[in-house]
Amino acid sequence: MIFKDALRRELSFTTGGVFLVLVTIMVTTLVIRILGYAANGAVNPEDALVLIALATLGYLAVLLTVSLFVATLIVLVRWYKDSEMIVWFASGLSISNLIRPILQFATPLIIIIALLALFVWPWANRETTLISQRFQQRDDVSMVTAGQFKESARAERVFFIEQLDVNKSEVKNIFVADNKNGRLSIAVASSGFIQNSEGGEKSVVLHNGRRYEGQPTQPDFRILEFTDYTTKIRSKETLAPAPRDREKTIQELINEPNPAFVNPSRAELLWRIGLPLMALGLVLIAIPLAYVNPRLGNYTAMFYAVLIYLIYSNLLNLTQNFVAQGKFSVFVGIWPIHLLALLIATALIRNRINPSIKWWRRQLPVALANK
């Protein structure tokens, strides 16, 4: 019980610490990226915080996988380095006794990773797409800001309104420039209002103004004075785009037809199922990988950990691409990588069981002398 409690306590604190560090790095990167999109006009600046939160939620499964793997390595490496493993081995325990308590700690997190990958990941991607599409499909009236020149979504109209009363839909000192079929039309007025028409259309009505119409570089300009001038603004409906594979639910991925054996939906399903399996494989590999000679006290295991994670994740992505291209089915691609990870973990654990018995017998007198 002392052994299990100590292991569970250190794993909890270390996993939480690693996870917070990774989330901080992720959020910082997302802030820089999404604020760049907002500065370029790709997303609404008011939606920046929502987009950052959605992107963070989408990547929580990957962050938890890395946190669990790194935390297991850090805890066991420290135990080896501080000669605590010598005490446990001297008490009759071996590396195989680490498997059960570590898996008991990791199982709830692996279940959370599975739920995040299967449900939260597509939901976050879908909401992000809808927010971006809604901003791109906004009507021209929603773009008007007092004291600023604003270009329409189709880049064919420019608005300038000096004063805007949103509650009364009144505008003052209006400038509207249209460019259609190579002819430029400019209307200016001192006052006006926003009118809602039938069918959901909106219009801007200008009072007592002047309109200039003609073709640039040509002398055929016309100057017209008007009492009321109406320029229509089409209210574009927010159309829900067809969901991408990363935005589809599990049911949609399973029910997706399979034309010509090429089905990216099956590949997306393979990646979502493979993420919790990868977390399990990495945890099992971390147990024997954490061995460190206490006399040397180096952290070579961390280097191998980074290498193993990169290889594992890239192989999973490569398998996903093969399934998407129809080179083999999802049922063939789902098991080889994870089975290989399980065999590697088993081989490393069995290799460490016998040496660990001889090793603690050699190191025990040294550890007791140091105490």
Side-chain angles (χ1 to χ4, degrees):
M1 293 299 297
I2 297 176
F3 169 73
K4 292 182 179 180
D5 291 341
L7 183 59
R8 188 182 301 109
R9 183 173 57 254
E10 290 206 33
L11 285 174
S12 300
F13 290 143
T14 308
T15 303
V18 174
F19 180 72
L20 288 178
V21 171
L22 293 178
V23 168
T24 302
I25 297 174
M26 173 65 68
V27 170
T28 304
T29 304
L30 290 173
V31 167
I32 296 173
R33 183 194 305 174
I34 293 178
L35 289 183
Y37 291 156
N40 294 331
V43 299
N44 189 351
E46 296 180 357
D47 296 331
L49 291 178
V50 178
L51 293 174
I52 292 171
L54 289 173
T56 304
L57 283 175
Y59 286 104
L60 281 183
V62 178
L63 296 181
L64 273 177
T65 301
V66 178
S67 301
L68 186 59
F69 179 44
V70 174
T72 305
L73 274 174
I74 291 176
V75 171
L76 295 183
V77 165
R78 191 195 68 78
W79 279 19
Y80 277 108
K81 184 175 178 294
D82 294 345
S83 300
E84 291 189 23
M85 293 301 295
I86 300 175
V87 178
W88 296 121
F89 290 151
S91 302
L93 300 177
S94 66
I95 284 186
S96 59
N97 296 109
L98 292 170
I99 299 176
R100 184 173 180 179
I102 289 179
L103 288 182
Q104 287 177 346
F105 170 80
T107 299
L109 293 179
I110 293 175
I111 294 175
I112 294 175
I113 291 171
L115 295 176
L116 290 172
L118 293 175
F119 302 105
V120 178
W121 163 258
W123 175 81
N125 290 329
R126 184 63 174 169
E127 290 298 317
T128 300
T129 301
L130 289 177
I131 291 174
S132 300
Q133 289 292 331
R134 184 165 58 245
F135 179 71
Q136 294 297 328
Q137 295 174 353
R138 66 200 185 280
D139 56 39
D140 295 343
V141 172
S142 65
M143 300 170 54
V144 174
T145 303
Q148 295 183 11
F149 284 93
K150 290 292 185 178
E151 188 179 35
S152 66
R154 295 183 179 180
E156 61 184 15
R157 181 181 291 121
V158 176
F159 283 94
F160 176 84
I161 294 178
E162 186 175 6
Q163 296 181 15
L164 172 63
D165 190 338
V166 178
N167 296 326
K168 298 180 179 180
S169 297
E170 294 180 354
V171 292
K172 294 184 179 180
N173 296 334
I174 313 113
F175 171 91
V176 181
D178 288 311
N179 190 358
K180 294 182 179 180
N181 300 323
R183 295 185 65 84
L184 180 64
S185 175
I186 299 175
V188 293
S190 59
S191 63
F193 64 93
I194 299 173
Q195 182 181 42
N196 294 319
S197 305
E198 295 182 359
E201 290 189 348
K202 294 182 180 180
S203 303
V204 176
V205 181
L206 285 66
H207 291 316
N208 302 324
R210 184 173 295 179
R211 180 184 177 193
Y212 305 87
E213 182 180 352
Q215 186 174 358
T217 71
Q218 299 295 328
D220 60 343
F221 265 84
R222 295 189 303 169
I223 302 177
L224 305 174
E225 293 185 355
F226 56 82
T227 303
D228 290 323
Y229 174 73
T230 302
T231 174
K232 291 184 178 181
I233 301 174
R234 295 183 179 89
S235 286
K236 291 169 283 186
E237 297 180 357
T238 304
L239 302 176
R244 296 175 295 175
D245 294 324
R246 61 189 298 178
E247 301 166 2
K248 295 179 180 178
T249 62
I250 296 297
Q251 190 68 27
E252 291 174 340
L253 293 176
I254 295 175
N255 296 333
E256 186 76 14
N258 190 12
F261 199 63
V262 178
N263 197 333
S265 298
R266 296 290 191 272
E268 175 67 19
L269 185 62
L270 180 143
W271 183 84
R272 296 187 196 178
I273 297 175
L275 199 59
L277 294 177
M278 184 176 72
L280 176 61
L282 290 175
V283 169
L284 293 176
I285 292 176
I287 296 174
L289 187 67
Y291 167 74
V292 172
N293 191 327
R295 290 184 177 181
L296 299 178
N298 55 28
Y299 286 85
T300 310
M302 292 301 173
F303 170 77
Y304 291 118
V306 174
L307 185 62
I308 289 173
Y309 174 78
L310 292 177
I311 294 175
Y312 204 151
S313 60
N314 286 329
L315 285 177
L316 184 60
N317 292 331
L318 186 63
T319 305
Q320 180 184 6
N321 292 332
F322 284 162
V323 173
Q325 296 170 8
K327 294 184 178 180
F328 45 78
S329 68
V330 64
F331 301 104
V332 176
I334 192 64
W335 59 268
I337 300 176
H338 308 294
L339 179 60
L340 179 62
L342 180 61
L343 292 176
I344 292 175
T346 302
L348 291 176
I349 290 174
R350 290 180 63 87
N351 182 62
R352 291 304 317 157
I353 288 177
N354 293 330
S356 63
I357 299 176
K358 300 177 182 178
W359 172 74
W360 74 260
R361 288 177 179 174
R362 294 194 304 267
Q363 298 297 330
L364 182 59
V366 178
L368 293 176
N370 292 334
K371 296 296 183 181

